[in-house]
Amino acid sequence: MQLGSGVEWATHACTVMALLHEGEGLSAEALAEYFEVPRAYLAKQLQALRRAGILASVRGKHGGYRLACPVDQITLLDIVRAIEGPQPAFRCTEIRRNGPCGLNPADCRRPCEIAAAFAGAEAAYRDALAARTLASIMLEAAMNSTPEHLAEMAAWVARRTGRAT
Amino acid sequence: MQLGSGVEWATHACTVMALLHEGEGLSAEALAEYFEVPRAYLAKQLQALRRAGILASVRGKHGGYRLACPVDQITLLDIVRAIEGPQPAFRCTEIRRNGPCGLNPADCRRPCEIAAAFAGAEAAYRDALAARTLASIMLEAAMNSTPEHLAEMAAWVARRTGRAT
């Protein structure tokens, strides 16, 4: 079971977009430069975030993407769902209906107990992701960071948006 | 993020092996017949369960596999780890070290806050899987089943092990 690196990239990219001022945006190219990751693949993740309503497009010379909501309203679950889709990790193929002792459809009105147990564990995972907002993660990161590094990030964003030279 | 169908098959197969009497085993072929799934792929999952100590081999004409421990000592987490391996779903590639504002290694002694948040959610998932034993799932299944179906399963196992004809 594996999450694609798109989830990692998308989450990190959101924390940089959180530093934008009103009306500013960052392009896929700028964010790919910031993280030294391939632009085309990152662009795909950013488009998925936009389709999910997590990002909004900003037009203009220094346009690109920005967060569509405040950082305390974007959770890790929102990002994972946008990038990986809403499908459960465990997919029940109803093998209880197969073979010499297979159940008939009338006896399968309840979900298979095995599928239900996996669904319960996935609900715990989703609940934990839904409890973590970008705000809480950025606060932790800021507390573990240095004033110099925070200033360096802010300065990069200011330059890349044309706010500073 | 997706679990292979091997996890579904392996879990179902364990619930059938739980019906074996002392000293009996079921072959990959018999279990594949029971669930109408491809023998070769199921055999691979059964071998993984054996390597993980969940199954033991039984020699002889009606040999094969049996559970190596009581059903209240086998959890869904044991099965998932045996089949899918112990790797986390979220793999941190440390992109915080990349690019113009990349952190230097000395500032990365703590795990990345994003990776830590995902690790926390995966711990919740694992805890939920670890809390579900085969015993609890089989009890639920038995309570949702009919006496006829339980008898049919037991009779199939008895025939396939040569205990009954």
Side-chain angles (χ1 to χ4, degrees), chain B residues 61-80:
Chain B
K61 188 184 166 197
H62 292 288
Y65 292 106
R66 58 179 288 104
L67 298 181
C69 347
V71 283
D72 59 355
Q73 288 168 34
I74 300 172
T75 71
L76 290 187
L77 182 62
D78 298 328
I79 295 172
V80 169

Side-chain angles (χ1 to χ4, degrees), chain A residues 1-3 7-9 11-12 33-36 76 80 84 89-95 98-101 103 110 112-114 117-118 121-122 124-125 128-129 132 137 140-141 144 149 152-153 156, chain B residues 1-3 7-9 11-12 33-36 76 80 84 89-95 98-101 103 110 112-114 117-118 121-122 124-125 128-129 132 137 140-141 144 149 152-153 156:
Chain A
M1 193 166 76
Q2 202 178 347
L3 283 171
V7 171
E8 182 192 18
W9 299 6
T11 311
H12 276 281
E33 174 194 309
Y34 186 94
F35 291 112
E36 277 183 275
L76 291 186
V80 168
E84 298 268 323
F90 182 94
R91 306 195 192 176
C92 177
T93 62
E94 288 281 357
I95 63 172
N98 296 354
C101 303
L103 289 168
R110 288 168 184 269
C112 171
E113 292 76 15
I114 290 172
F118 277 97
E122 288 187 42
Y125 175 67
L129 291 180
R132 294 307 309 268
I137 290 170
E140 272 187 14
N144 292 334
H149 184 245
E152 195 181 20
M153 290 170 71
W156 182 88
Chain B
M1 192 165 79
Q2 202 180 345
L3 282 172
V7 171
E8 181 192 19
W9 297 7
T11 311
H12 276 281
E33 173 194 310
Y34 186 94
F35 290 112
E36 276 183 278
L76 290 187
V80 169
E84 297 269 322
F90 181 94
R91 306 193 190 175
C92 176
T93 62
E94 288 282 355
I95 64 171
N98 295 354
C101 303
L103 289 169
R110 288 169 184 269
C112 171
E113 293 76 15
I114 291 171
F118 277 98
E122 288 186 42
Y125 176 68
L129 291 180
R132 294 306 309 268
I137 290 170
E140 271 185 17
N144 293 334
H149 184 246
E152 195 181 20
M153 289 171 71
W156 182 89

Side-chain angles (χ1 to χ4, degrees), chain A:
Chain A
M1 193 166 76
Q2 202 178 347
L3 283 171
S5 53
V7 171
E8 182 192 18
W9 299 6
T11 311
H12 276 281
C14 285
T15 66
V16 175
M17 285 180 275
L19 305 177
L20 288 166
H21 287 198
E22 181 70 30
E24 293 174 350
L26 282 168
S27 64
E29 190 180 351
L31 288 163
E33 174 194 309
Y34 186 94
F35 291 112
E36 277 183 275
V37 296
R39 194 196 63 78
Y41 186 55
L42 180 62
K44 217 180 121 194
Q45 316 309 329
L46 298 173
Q47 284 156 16
L49 293 175
R50 189 179 54 73
R51 278 194 300 273
I54 296 169
L55 300 185
S57 296
V58 178
R59 290 173 186 274
K61 188 183 165 198
H62 292 288
Y65 292 107
R66 59 178 289 104
L67 298 181
C69 349
V71 282
D72 60 353
Q73 288 168 33
I74 300 171
T75 72
L76 291 186
L77 183 62
D78 297 328
I79 295 173
V80 168
R81 282 213 166 133
I83 303 293
E84 298 268 323
Q87 304 83 6
F90 182 94
R91 306 195 192 176
C92 177
T93 62
E94 288 281 357
I95 63 172
R96 63 180 172 167
R97 299 191 189 191
N98 296 354
C101 303
L103 289 168
N104 59 55
D107 292 330
C108 295
R109 288 199 196 102
R110 288 168 184 269
C112 171
E113 292 76 15
I114 290 172
F118 277 97
E122 288 187 42
Y125 175 67
R126 285 196 306 273
D127 288 349
L129 291 180
R132 294 307 309 268
T133 62
L134 278 185
S136 77
I137 290 170
M138 291 182 69
L139 181 61
E140 272 187 14
M143 291 175 70
N144 292 334
S145 190
T146 60
E148 293 74 21
H149 184 245
L150 297 172
E152 195 181 20
M153 290 170 71
W156 182 88
V157 169
R159 277 197 311 278
R160 263 321 215 132
T161 56
R163 197 191 327 137
T165 50

